[in-house]
Amino acid sequence: MERIDGRKNDEMRAVKITRDYLRHPEGSVLIEMGDTKVICTATVEEKVPSFLKGTGKGWVTSEYGMLPRSTQTRKQRDSSRGKVDGRTMEIQRLIGRTLRSIVDLEKMPETMIWVDCDVIQADGGTRTASITGAFVALVDALNHLVSIGKLKLIPIKSYVAAISIGIKDGEVLLDLKYEEDSTCKVDMNLVMTEEGNFVEIQGTGEENPFTKEEMKEMLELGEKGILELIQIQKQSLGELSDKVGTKK
Amino acid sequence: MERIDGRKNDEMRAVKITRDYLRHPEGSVLIEMGDTKVICTATVEEKVPSFLKGTGKGWVTSEYGMLPRSTQTRKQRDSSRGKVDGRTMEIQRLIGRTLRSIVDLEKMPETMIWVDCDVIQADGGTRTASITGAFVALVDALNHLVSIGKLKLIPIKSYVAAISIGIKDGEVLLDLKYEEDSTCKVDMNLVMTEEGNFVEIQGTGEENPFTKEEMKEMLELGEKGILELIQIQKQSLGELSDKVGTKK
Amino acid sequence: MERIDGRKNDEMRAVKITRDYLRHPEGSVLIEMGDTKVICTATVEEKVPSFLKGTGKGWVTSEYGMLPRSTQTRKQRDSSRGKVDGRTMEIQRLIGRTLRSIVDLEKMPETMIWVDCDVIQADGGTRTASITGAFVALVDALNHLVSIGKLKLIPIKSYVAAISIGIKDGEVLLDLKYEEDSTCKVDMNLVMTEEGNFVEIQGTGEENPFTKEEMKEMLELGEKGILELIQIQKQSLGELSDKVGTKK
Amino acid sequence: MERIDGRKNDEMRAVKITRDYLRHPEGSVLIEMGDTKVICTATVEEKVPSFLKGTGKGWVTSEYGMLPRSTQTRKQRDSSRGKVDGRTMEIQRLIGRTLRSIVDLEKMPETMIWVDCDVIQADGGTRTASITGAFVALVDALNHLVSIGKLKLIPIKSYVAAISIGIKDGEVLLDLKYEEDSTCKVDMNLVMTEEGNFVEIQGTGEENPFTKEEMKEMLELGEKGILELIQIQKQSLGELSDKVGTKK
Amino acid sequence: MERIDGRKNDEMRAVKITRDYLRHPEGSVLIEMGDTKVICTATVEEKVPSFLKGTGKGWVTSEYGMLPRSTQTRKQRDSSRGKVDGRTMEIQRLIGRTLRSIVDLEKMPETMIWVDCDVIQADGGTRTASITGAFVALVDALNHLVSIGKLKLIPIKSYVAAISIGIKDGEVLLDLKYEEDSTCKVDMNLVMTEEGNFVEIQGTGEENPFTKEEMKEMLELGEKGILELIQIQKQSLGELSDKVGTKK
Amino acid sequence: MERIDGRKNDEMRAVKITRDYLRHPEGSVLIEMGDTKVICTATVEEKVPSFLKGTGKGWVTSEYGMLPRSTQTRKQRDSSRGKVDGRTMEIQRLIGRTLRSIVDLEKMPETMIWVDCDVIQADGGTRTASITGAFVALVDALNHLVSIGKLKLIPIKSYVAAISIGIKDGEVLLDLKYEEDSTCKVDMNLVMTEEGNFVEIQGTGEENPFTKEEMKEMLELGEKGILELIQIQKQSLGELSDKVGTKK
């Protein structure tokens, strides 16, 4: 059975990462995974949250949004509705946790990095694209701190990327497009490091619990995708790529 | 190394489920897992969400809350802050998805069941206790629909329960107390059916990505706990227990 | 004419006060008046409101809530509606004023006590049960300050309790159940001290103004009920009961 | 001991009621009690609340507000704070209940009357002045319905007015000014009909519970004040005054 | 063609400014332009916004509101809707900018003046009446600072007033009433100083773009009106009028 | 005196309009004016606002937003603050009014067009760039209605564009960059049609009222810029450009 856009089950969509996409932020990236497009920016602020004041540690946090017409039908702005919806909160908490897991916060100066992921066009996988792009923007922002002398080294312990995997009509599929995502029986988002360790796993079988065997297949396929994404991150970072990861 | 309350690594806390805990709801349960206590109620409403009107299908949704002093230090009310926090949203979405995954919504009449989980006392694992207790309250509410002639059979496809697993000092631990949870390097919540299939898996290693071997151990330990919890659900349901699950 | 549950006109429902109901708060009580059940907790916080900073005086404040399914039909959460309703505000202001009227704030250390009253099950009289139970939780929290050496004596000037009285079909009734309350022509809530002095009186005859004679009868009946409640508070407090009240 | 403005203990401030104060509303009144000035308007709307649709009954509701600089120091607007404060809610609920208690809602057409009380200048007693003025605005709005043929008679069962009473330095005082109100040990608001029946009584002794004898004195003084206010309402209404009250 | 109220095209409505309208504010004015009535108050606060702390400069800001029944049909309160509407925000920003343009903020002490404009009765031109009245209230508040020794001179550089102009059926009209305003094809609000300089110009031709010739006529007519308004401000200020404006 | 980026006083920044920028919306444009970049989308919805139901008329409305890091320092999201700020409201009302002024709403089918302008990168003039780009997106959305047979002709009466003009150090400047805008003494936004008629004029001299001569110069310079922008819109629209404007 062929996928809707002709891909093989284990084939990712084309990925493109454009660094320095915007002029103002310390790090900014446009990441495109097929038709999904997300602007990821990383902003350095002097002010840390109150629970960190005086500790000498830094912090990384994240916010996520969608332009009203990034989606097939127009989505009302959170600001018009007066509150952030639950899905948005889940996603921005996920991005924040992921980034904090691979940054050595102890080695950051007492600063805060805001990572904003704003979806310009949505076609499935916006949260995983956000993570993969946000990582690159974060590297640039931390490198900015190096370049102005606030840091000696980029305090990132490992590369990290994310991908979605799903099960549809009994087939395990990598990197779901919107039409696949919305008809899948099982939906998993996987966040892994370059070393193949898990940062986050979120799997849900809303209408259809899944078996251990399916779980195993999804994890294998996900890992394959993530390693490909990390190669793309490295190419995008160019010579900076060697300065990231504690082994370097 | 012994755990803080003397349990073995693979030992759950004492679990107690009290049915018919409140007078008004169609289903109501007090679930206690050690010092964690949650009131779960299931309310039948005639009105379904607008996207289901006229479809003949039912719906199950959930809300979650904590009493201000369920926690060690007082937690401000969401209503005072004017908005629901992200953690609360994540948990109530998780409970709702879980329950919908094991109910045959097509076989429900066009009604909506609200499942409210309110934490009276918190000592870790409130979301998993909520799921395990909510399942029982839901059975009672659906059985109420049977008893008044709105349903012939309880449209539940499978038992479902949830448990937390974590890694602390290199040991994989089942059913974390608060002190364990807050110091764990890895935190996983697992929701499984009686058949050993996955409904939800949420694992996070905020400060410490975890390996595939650790993942495997956590899944095994979690399954063990969930099967024990389902036995407790069955004892609590007594003769109703045979009317649940499509195999019956 | 007999009342709906067989009580006499001047007869209160069975009252039960369970102290130390929860593990975390400095004071916590479950009060049951018939089918009305309220959890009252008292939390000690170091931080006083800004208008008291540096005065050396303490403060007592209160918040009130209902579980969504404490009521006969499910009540939407304030946090979902995004605001606290007027009835809730009135009640929590009433509880706060009442407790402050019998505490000697000058003798408290510069701390704040939050009293939370959360209705688990409602069958009329939730605000009066809240006050009666909150008093006991407050005593325990103040005694906690004594036990850790922050206070020498419990700075409570007098016992206080509250009861509802109503007029239905020309009869003056004590301690209204929900069905009575919702069909009463006149509804009064009375808060009195052990000495028979008024702390609060709130009477309303929404559809039916009431006469001076009816007023007199309601006050007498209310006082009778309040003195009974104070005896129950004392039994519940046991040996602590003698340490409360300025006469002691 | 003389009062701050030279009044006797049982003496009300000068009261002035200006009808037809504004051009647009069906009823509008400026009431002045000493330096307290409130604009009361009554608006007729076709739409009743949903719980009354199809019942043929009418409804009366009320909202209350203060101009930011009606008070001695500027009070932040509710709209800037994003929510209505508890005091405002209590007052508008009180005004609404009071007016509904003396209107025969069954005899109103299926319309809704909004009564808005907006304090232009505050010097104590704004809620009681609001009630006394709102009554007159309501009569005018109902008379408007008579004049356009929607009603045969003004469906008001009784005159109603409100006054504050307090205890200061052991003296019972009628109609408190702000300086008296803020230093009083006991504060009571009384709403009564022309027949001397109670519509609402709200008494609070925040720092100082009050005795039965003090209660008795306050009620007598309050009734005296209310009967004077009703005479002023009647003079203001002129020939309309005879068309109000079921005895007429 | 005659205007609805018999005025000539270039004729303003009767204007009346009552100073010291309220007792508490440092400056307070009732301005009436025909049936439009606005209470303007100016409040002196010690606290400046954080961006001005320590600069030694003062600040002027403004808020605007309408009583619910100032309008022909009742307008819901912003506080009930939970947010301020866009029109209100535009107007209060306009008033604030205008007043800041003619005050020498450098010469003010480090204080903040809140100018509140509350519409009691609306018949078109509420924003322009607010500006014209607010100016007078501001003079009084600044003069209060002079009288208590916090200022030597009133730091106002120029008189300022505002007027509306519109085009209806090809005629350019000064000072629109509500019925004219709501049927006009072009609507302009002009704010000018005594010297004939522009502070603000806001013109909109929502359904009908307007020509340069029409623009010219509107500006001329507006200037005529503004100079008349400034004469009225001066008469109202009496002997204070000479202390305003840098030329004096 | 040379401008910061070397432009002449009457020289606009480079303008680039990219049509069909996004995949989902009926019309979508990226407009770049120098470093200011705005995504403008036009969405067709079947549902009109309630005041238009059954009238057979259409409607055009607009919302405006900025990505958090479009600006030099990060701007908090409206959705995090829980409310839309005043500046945003002013701008989106301006865009909506402008577009409605040149669309023949009577000739639209009973549909609603949402125009969203989201600033990706800000360097001054975001509101005027939004209008200029939104016009093109709107043409595409209306042309979509033509292509699916819901409209015969594009019901646009005239081209419209917008530009900013300011006065700095006595020089009148066209199309202000951020650094110019924030230091200008006078700031004007002009919206004009191809015929040279005014749709909107908003001029403000917050700290420095401006003279009639300066006004005249600003209007002339603005018109020059607007006519250039309309030529760029036409080139962008290509063969569609002839189908717009009633003269065609």
Side-chain angles (χ1 to χ4, degrees), chain C:
Chain C
M1 189 193 66
E2 200 173 63
R3 293 171 72 175
I4 191 169
D5 53 1
R7 281 185 288 151
K8 294 185 202 132
N9 288 357
D10 67 348
E11 188 181 348
M12 261 187 346
R13 292 176 289 180
V15 180
K16 186 175 166 199
I17 295 175
T18 307
R19 280 165 70 210
D20 294 326
Y21 184 67
L22 297 177
R23 189 182 129 193
H24 301 307
E26 286 72 37
S28 70
V29 152
L30 173 70
I31 182 164
E32 302 170 76
M33 290 195 71
D35 280 333
T36 290
K37 301 183 185 186
V38 186
I39 297 178
C40 307
T41 67
T43 296
V44 177
E45 273 191 5
E46 294 297 304
K47 207 165 57 176
V48 289
S50 53
F51 67 88
L52 282 182
K53 255 172 214 156
T55 63
K57 286 177 61 175
W59 192 245
V60 178
T61 191
S62 178
E63 288 190 355
Y64 168 94
M66 302 182 89
L67 290 204
R69 199 55 203 286
S70 58
T71 44
Q72 295 206 321
T73 56
R74 187 177 182 277
K75 185 174 179 291
Q76 195 187 4
R77 285 172 200 266
D78 281 338
S79 57
S80 300
R81 293 190 311 126
K83 57 179 176 180
V84 179
D85 66 22
R87 177 185 168 276
T88 295
M89 284 211 192
E90 267 187 47
I91 293 176
Q92 60 197 21
R93 283 159 56 92
L94 169 66
I95 301 171
R97 280 198 310 269
T98 290
L99 297 177
R100 286 190 298 274
S101 79
I102 51 85
V103 169
D104 191 337
L105 300 170
E106 311 270 351
K107 294 197 181 146
M108 274 179 67
E110 202 171 307
T111 53
M112 168 127 157
I113 298 187
W114 285 87
V115 175
D116 287 287
C117 298
D118 284 273
V119 179
I120 300 304
Q121 188 168 277
D123 186 31
T126 63
R127 85 186 66 189
T128 51
S130 293
I131 287 172
T132 305
F135 176 83
V136 178
L138 177 63
V139 171
D140 274 327
L142 288 168
N143 191 47
H144 167 81
L145 287 174
V146 171
S147 69
I148 62 172
K150 291 228 172 173
L151 269 177
K152 291 230 169 114
L153 298 168
I154 295 175
I156 288 187
K157 296 180 282 184
S158 176
Y159 277 83
V160 74
I163 196 83
S164 72
I165 317 108
I167 302 179
K168 190 179 166 183
D169 304 328
E171 312 258 330
V172 179
L173 306 178
L174 184 68
D175 185 25
L176 306 175
K177 263 176 81 70
Y178 176 74
E179 291 83 353
E180 294 172 334
D181 188 29
S182 58
T183 56
C184 253
K185 292 299 182 186
V186 176
D187 182 18
M188 177 171 286
N189 291 292
L190 199 60
V191 187
M192 289 183 101
T193 65
E194 188 179 8
E195 295 76 22
N197 291 334
F198 295 97
V199 172
E200 291 272 342
I201 172 171
Q202 295 187 335
T204 180
E206 180 156 340
E207 296 176 41
N208 200 24
F210 52 101
T211 65
K212 286 167 204 127
E213 182 55 34
E214 289 170 328
M215 173 78 142
K216 190 162 158 283
E217 281 183 57
M218 287 193 285
L219 295 183
E220 284 167 4
L221 200 51
E223 182 171 7
K224 172 182 173 297
I226 280 170
L227 295 180
E228 289 173 30
L229 286 168
I230 290 176
Q231 287 316 304
I232 296 168
Q233 289 173 331
K234 289 187 173 181
Q235 285 161 21
S236 169
L237 284 168
E239 59 180 33
L240 252 189
S241 67
D242 281 343
K243 301 189 178 154
V244 171
T246 44
K247 289 179 283 190
K248 279 90 205 194

Side-chain angles (χ1 to χ4, degrees), chain E residues 148-160:
Chain E
I148 63 172
K150 291 228 171 172
L151 271 176
K152 290 232 170 111
L153 298 168
I154 295 174
I156 288 186
K157 295 181 282 185
S158 176
Y159 277 83
V160 73

